Amino acid sequence: MASHRKWSPTGTRIAGIRTPALATAALTSVALLSQTANAAPSADSKPSIEEVEKKVDDLYHQAEAATEKYNATREKTAQQRKRVDSLLDDVAQRTEKLNTAREELGSFAAAQYRTGASAPDTATLLLADNPQDYFDQTQLMDRLTSRQKVAVDDYITEQATTTKKRAEASQSLQTLTTTQSALKTSKADVQRKLAEARDLLSKLTAEEKARLAAIEKKKQEAADRKAAELAQQQAAAEKKAQEAAAQQQTTSAPTGTTATTGSSATDSSYTAKADKALAFARTQIGKPYVWGATGPGSYDCSGLTQAAWKAAGVDLPRTTWDQVNAGTTVPLSDIKPGDLVFFYDDISHVGLYIGNGMMIHAPKPGAYVREESIFYGGESIIHSVVRPA
């Protein structure tokens, strides 16, 4: 990789002596030229194609991480909005019930007034901040009929519950407002990273774009070779396992019987579900990557894996950070079609393994759902493999 070069002037440092005016002028000119050179770097300071390629990859990676944060925040926002709506509906119903109880108490107060009873006590109750304290102080309950006591009990209970629910609704609204602000921030973060990547690519000349394409092609060829190696290793391991199983069956199982293990039954169940997930994923090939999308016209990486496994009857969480915990982690050497392959230390990307070292995934902005080697970025970026069902 070419280094970032920046021209800097060299010269002789003069200290401890008195220089003539001409020498001073010359030194001043050198200093001015040095400042000019630093202010306007030469063409050699332009980043190399390799540096541009790395920077663009880093930006896409950062954008994907920001996308997963956006997905998580959007999911949280939806859940909080449902809670707020539910609380507001509950408060509305309880307020209506409280009004009914208040009207009933009012009718009792009016009746007491007509009969000469102590109507003001009941009327004042309706305005009391704490009805229970009011009862304790005035001993009004002793002067009420059984029907009135039931109405008063209902009123006290409903007022306390309604007050509590109103406070919960208010708090939930504040939380929702905060989360919506975070959602807006994460969305802007994604857009900023993508814009920066597009800006870098737009400045490349035709020749530089061709060189960048050549670099990508070499990386893809290396990834394909690594995928083929994994396929060969797995084929050899499977053949060895089959031979060992056949040998064991010959020496231990009675003639004419076949041993069936719980493990093989489990494998068969998983294979059936994985086949459905893979069949769905294959029909999505060619659809565009759109960050935050869950189909059916476009997907981001975790949106695709979620939709694929949903087609197999398995509900996965929305984000890569949650999907990585939604199953059993297996070693790369034991990877099977249908498994989820997670990438990078921050677990910001995921693909659906299809066998032979290949996966179906929604790669990045500007790309389309496609088959690609799981080693597309090198083996070092593979974080883990998870079997979701």
Side-chain angles (χ1 to χ4, degrees):
M1 182 179 294
S3 61
H4 182 80
R5 292 170 289 179
K6 186 174 183 179
W7 179 82
S8 59
T10 59
T12 304
R13 182 181 178 185
I14 301 176
I17 61 172
R18 185 176 182 180
T19 59
L22 184 59
T24 301
L27 289 172
T28 301
S29 298
V30 170
L32 290 172
L33 288 171
S34 174
Q35 292 173 6
T36 303
N38 286 332
S42 67
D44 288 343
S45 67
K46 183 178 180 179
S48 67
I49 292 300
E50 290 80 6
E51 288 171 332
V52 170
E53 188 256 354
K54 184 180 185 307
K55 180 64 175 176
V56 170
D57 280 351
D58 286 346
L59 285 169
Y60 279 142
H61 175 201
Q62 293 169 27
E64 255 198 319
T67 294
E68 290 305 311
K69 183 177 180 180
Y70 170 84
N71 290 339
T73 307
R74 187 171 66 174
E75 188 115 319
K76 187 177 180 180
T77 300
Q79 293 171 351
Q80 289 175 345
R81 186 176 288 112
K82 284 183 180 179
R83 174 166 173 76
V84 167
D85 289 345
S86 176
L87 284 169
L88 290 177
D89 287 344
D90 190 25
V91 167
Q93 293 173 8
R94 290 184 180 280
T95 299
E96 184 177 352
K97 189 174 181 181
L98 187 63
N99 290 336
T100 300
R102 183 179 288 111
E103 289 172 1
E104 188 171 3
L105 285 177
S107 67
F108 291 152
Q112 287 177 324
Y113 181 76
R114 287 194 298 270
T115 59
S118 54
D121 285 342
T122 308
T124 305
L125 163 67
L126 300 177
L127 302 176
D129 291 334
N130 191 325
Q132 188 62 60
D133 288 347
Y134 182 78
F135 278 126
D136 293 341
Q137 293 170 8
T138 63
Q139 299 179 341
L140 178 61
M141 289 295 283
D142 293 338
R143 298 196 295 276
L144 297 178
T145 66
S146 59
R147 182 184 173 191
Q148 288 173 325
K149 288 179 180 179
V150 170
V152 168
D153 285 341
D154 287 346
Y155 177 78
I156 293 173
T157 301
E158 207 55 52
Q159 187 187 57
T161 304
T162 303
T163 300
K164 180 181 177 182
K165 292 297 181 180
R166 281 174 179 162
E168 289 180 13
S170 177
Q171 181 61 48
S172 293
L173 278 170
Q174 292 179 9
T175 302
L176 177 59
T177 300
T178 301
T179 306
Q180 286 175 327
S181 177
L183 181 65
K184 185 178 180 180
T185 299
S186 60
K187 181 178 181 179
D189 191 27
V190 176
Q191 293 172 329
R192 184 170 57 253
K193 300 296 184 186
L194 295 180
E196 192 175 345
R198 286 193 296 268
D199 183 59
L200 275 173
L201 293 173
S202 68
K203 294 178 180 178
L204 297 179
T205 64
E207 180 182 354
E208 288 171 334
K209 289 179 180 178
R211 288 172 57 194
L212 184 60
I215 292 174
E216 291 293 333
K217 184 178 179 182
K218 287 183 66 175
K219 286 174 60 177
Q220 184 177 342
E221 289 172 349
D224 290 343
R225 285 194 298 271
K226 191 71 177 177
E229 290 175 8
L230 177 62
Q232 291 174 356
Q233 293 169 3
Q234 286 190 312
E238 185 176 353
K239 182 178 179 181
K240 187 175 181 180
Q242 289 175 346
E243 290 174 349
Q247 179 66 27
Q248 183 178 6
Q249 184 176 348
T250 301
T251 56
S252 61
T255 304
T257 64
T258 301
T260 301
T261 66
S263 176
S264 61
T266 301
D267 290 346
S268 177
S269 174
Y270 178 75
T271 300
K273 293 177 181 178
D275 286 345
K276 291 180 180 178
L278 292 172
F280 176 90
R282 288 190 175 96
T283 63
Q284 310 312 307
I285 291 176
K287 294 183 178 180
Y289 175 104
V290 174
W291 65 275
T294 57
S298 58
Y299 298 89
D300 62 17
C301 66
S302 55
L304 176 64
T305 51
Q306 182 188 47
W309 269 103
K310 186 174 183 179
V314 177
D315 290 326
L316 293 181
R318 175 63 182 93
T319 70
T320 54
W321 304 325
D322 291 326
Q323 289 183 10
V324 75
N325 296 315
T328 304
T329 301
V330 297
L332 182 61
S333 59
D334 191 35
I335 191 170
K336 294 182 179 180
D339 289 351
L340 302 177
V341 190
F342 295 91
F343 299 88
Y344 304 107
D345 291 339
D346 58 2
I347 320 176
S348 58
H349 188 67
V350 62
L352 187 67
Y353 189 67
I354 61 175
N356 295 323
M358 304 292 287
M359 66 179 172
I360 296 175
H361 71 147
K364 59 185 178 181
Y368 297 84
V369 176
R370 66 193 183 202
E371 292 185 11
E372 192 165 23
S373 168
I374 63 172
F375 302 101
Y376 75 100
E379 187 172 358
S380 63
I381 71 167
I382 297 178
H383 177 274
S384 55
V385 177
V386 171
R387 194 156 296 155

